Amino acid sequence: MDLAIDLLSPQPAPAEWIVWFTAGCALSLVVFRRLWLPARNAVTIAHEGGHGLVALATGRRLEAIRLHSDTSGLTVSRGRPTGVGVVLTLAAGYPAAPLLGLGGAALLGTGHVTLLLWIATGLLLAMLVMVRNAYGILTVVLTGAVFLLVSWLTGPEVRSTFAYAAVWFLLLGGVRPAFELQAKRRRGGAPDSDADQLSRLTHVPAGVWLLFFHTVAISALIGGGRWLLGF
């Protein structure tokens, strides 16, 4: 009963300086390459999780998720090779991190810090069932362990600071991958990217799909940022 009350009861918003401080920390992780390379694993988890969740939601058979040490990933699902299901599955990867950040910002905007941490832990545990390589298992387990330990062992102030930092990172980190993909395609790389596969399936230019990814990420950052900052 106490756990249910703790999950559903709103917590006071942190001091304004903490909100800005966590935003600055998250921005540093995204902007500086040496910090971004390891931190990008969290965005890859969200990306592949987005593919997997939408694959299941559209009736496809989810067979495996793999996360690699170069921060790339692969989600394998079975079903019709064409149609709405496969299009939605492919389109879900890049928007996943920003939309998770937006949902997290909505929860934090109403003070539900503990609920957010437990939802994140639950999503990571659900994803772990489908991960099929050692590095991926290690990455998801460590990420889930951090959320679980913060939820159980820290006080309200630490939980709140961690939650704001995590959501800011999803919002800000969700913007960079589409620009990275755009740069790779400009150099002639990534011929089998999500955007290129979507282009072949829908006959809509890959650049339009990239614009869609950019629009979702930037819109989520603006909307989520307003919630976090109380505007």
Side-chain angles (χ1 to χ4, degrees):
M1 186 66 178
D2 290 341
L3 177 60
I5 293 173
D6 190 31
L7 284 175
L8 299 177
S9 298
Q11 288 88 45
E16 185 176 352
W17 75 266
I18 292 179
V19 179
W20 284 104
F21 174 74
T22 54
C25 290
L27 184 62
S28 297
L29 290 175
V30 175
V31 170
F32 296 107
R33 180 174 175 79
R34 289 187 179 181
L35 299 176
W36 170 244
L37 290 178
R40 196 185 192 282
N41 283 289
V43 177
T44 302
I45 290 173
H47 181 113
E48 301 305 328
H51 284 314
L53 180 62
V54 174
L56 291 173
T58 56
R60 297 179 64 80
R61 180 182 175 184
L62 180 60
E63 294 199 342
I65 294 174
R66 292 183 175 86
L67 307 170
H68 304 132
S69 58
D70 63 355
T71 72
S72 66
L74 176 67
T75 298
V76 180
S77 64
R78 301 296 181 192
R80 290 183 56 193
T82 60
V84 175
V86 68
V87 169
L88 291 176
T89 298
L90 283 168
Y94 281 93
L99 291 179
L100 283 172
L102 182 63
L107 286 172
L108 293 181
T110 56
H112 290 96
V113 175
T114 305
L115 180 60
L116 181 146
L117 295 175
W118 278 91
I119 289 174
T121 304
L123 289 173
L124 288 164
L125 286 174
M127 183 175 175
L128 182 61
V129 175
M130 296 308 303
V131 177
R132 293 292 183 266
N133 67 318
Y135 181 82
I137 291 171
L138 177 64
T139 302
V140 175
V141 167
L142 289 177
T143 306
V146 170
F147 276 88
L148 187 61
L149 290 173
V150 170
S151 301
W152 275 107
L153 301 180
T154 66
E157 296 82 4
V158 175
R159 287 200 301 266
S160 182
T161 301
F162 176 80
Y164 270 79
V167 169
W168 273 122
F169 179 71
L170 286 173
L171 290 170
L172 292 163
V175 174
R176 181 164 175 169
F179 284 101
E180 291 178 331
L181 175 57
Q182 188 173 354
K184 286 181 182 178
R185 294 187 73 256
R186 192 179 297 121
R187 296 191 299 268
D192 291 320
S193 71
D194 293 351
D196 291 282
Q197 292 184 64
L198 285 164
S199 178
R200 290 192 287 269
L201 282 167
T202 63
H203 306 293
V204 174
V208 175
W209 286 107
L210 272 170
L211 178 61
F212 167 71
F213 297 153
H214 286 310
T215 301
V216 172
I218 293 171
S219 298
L221 175 58
I222 293 171
R226 288 173 62 89
W227 268 323
L228 294 176
L229 295 169
F231 291 162

